[in-house]
Amino acid sequence: MSTRSAAEPERRSREQRTSDSRTRILDAAVACLVESGYAGTTTLTIQNRAGVSRGRLLHHFPSKENLLVAAAQHLATSRFAEDGLAHADLPDADVDPGTRLDRAVEVMWWTYQQAYFWASVELWTAARTDPALASALLPAERRLGAAIRQTVDAFFEDYAEPQRAALLRETLLTSMRGVALTYGFDPRDPQTDPHLAQWKQLARVLLMPEGGSDA
């Protein structure tokens, strides 16, 4: 066996350990953000929760700002890829387009109940008075926002022209975000939130004007 082939498994193993430790750090950072808020989250608490050395943490993330932004984006991107609108279990559009649209609205609303939303809220709030955090957060949020808009538009444009699809998308995303924020101090069952029925009705009115509002 050549020296190169013998070294290959060792190299892959080293890369896997590096990837695993990075993921543990990111997951720990999100958990700390959600449980303790931005002010209560330190690199030391993240390090202890992740079970890594100080040197390992700093090797991956030299600053707290970059670590927390990467953590929130890591979770949001992975959950969006796995459970977002593009991968949701929706009824066939040819069979029941109205129910399919209702279900899409429910999936969008569900994303605002997840840990990555609250981790992001902590960062948005802290960034208002932390220029270093704001500088790290802005480009990451723009990338994620663009991906979300592209996915939502692609779905809604099956129903109506791009202008109507974009109007509904922005109305739903901003409205859902605003309502979700009130759950921080007034927790309740999101499935019975009266706004959900209103969002569904709005979607039908904008995208299915020919009889879609009689659900």
Side-chain angles (χ1 to χ4, degrees), residues 43-126:
T43 53
L44 182 59
T45 60
I46 295 170
Q47 172 192 328
N48 291 338
R49 187 166 192 143
V52 299
S53 67
R54 185 69 173 174
R56 174 68 66 178
L57 185 144
L58 293 176
H59 170 74
H60 288 293
F61 304 102
S63 74
K64 174 185 175 181
E65 293 82 9
N66 287 330
L67 166 55
L68 295 182
V69 170
Q73 295 293 310
H74 154 75
L75 183 58
T77 301
S78 61
R79 298 306 297 174
F80 178 70
E82 295 172 6
D83 303 320
L85 196 54
H87 301 281
D89 183 15
L90 303 174
D92 193 324
D94 295 332
V95 176
D96 194 347
T99 301
R100 183 171 186 264
L101 187 57
D102 288 347
R103 177 59 183 148
V105 173
E106 291 173 357
V107 170
M108 292 177 65
W109 174 229
W110 174 85
T111 64
Y112 288 95
Q113 315 307 316
Q114 305 310 304
Y116 59 77
F117 171 69
W118 292 108
S120 296
V121 168
E122 289 293 330
L123 296 180
W124 297 340
T125 304

Side-chain angles (χ1 to χ4, degrees), residues 20-42:
D20 289 346
S21 64
R22 187 178 191 277
T23 299
R24 289 203 311 273
I25 292 168
L26 292 173
D27 289 342
V30 170
C32 289
L33 269 176
V34 174
E35 294 175 9
S36 305
Y38 182 79
T41 298
T42 66

Side-chain angles (χ1 to χ4, degrees), residues 171-200:
T171 301
L172 290 181
L173 292 179
T174 55
S175 179
M176 288 178 176
R177 185 184 305 122
V179 173
L181 286 171
T182 67
Y183 280 59
F185 56 85
D186 183 18
R188 49 202 187 274
D189 183 357
Q191 295 182 340
T192 61
D193 194 302
H195 292 90
L196 184 56
Q198 296 170 12
W199 291 324
K200 291 179 181 180

Side-chain angles (χ1 to χ4, degrees), residues 153 156-157 161-171:
D153 286 353
F156 285 161
E157 286 172 14
E161 67 274 12
Q163 185 176 4
R164 278 181 174 267
L167 173 61
L168 177 62
R169 175 250 298 159
E170 281 304 296
T171 301

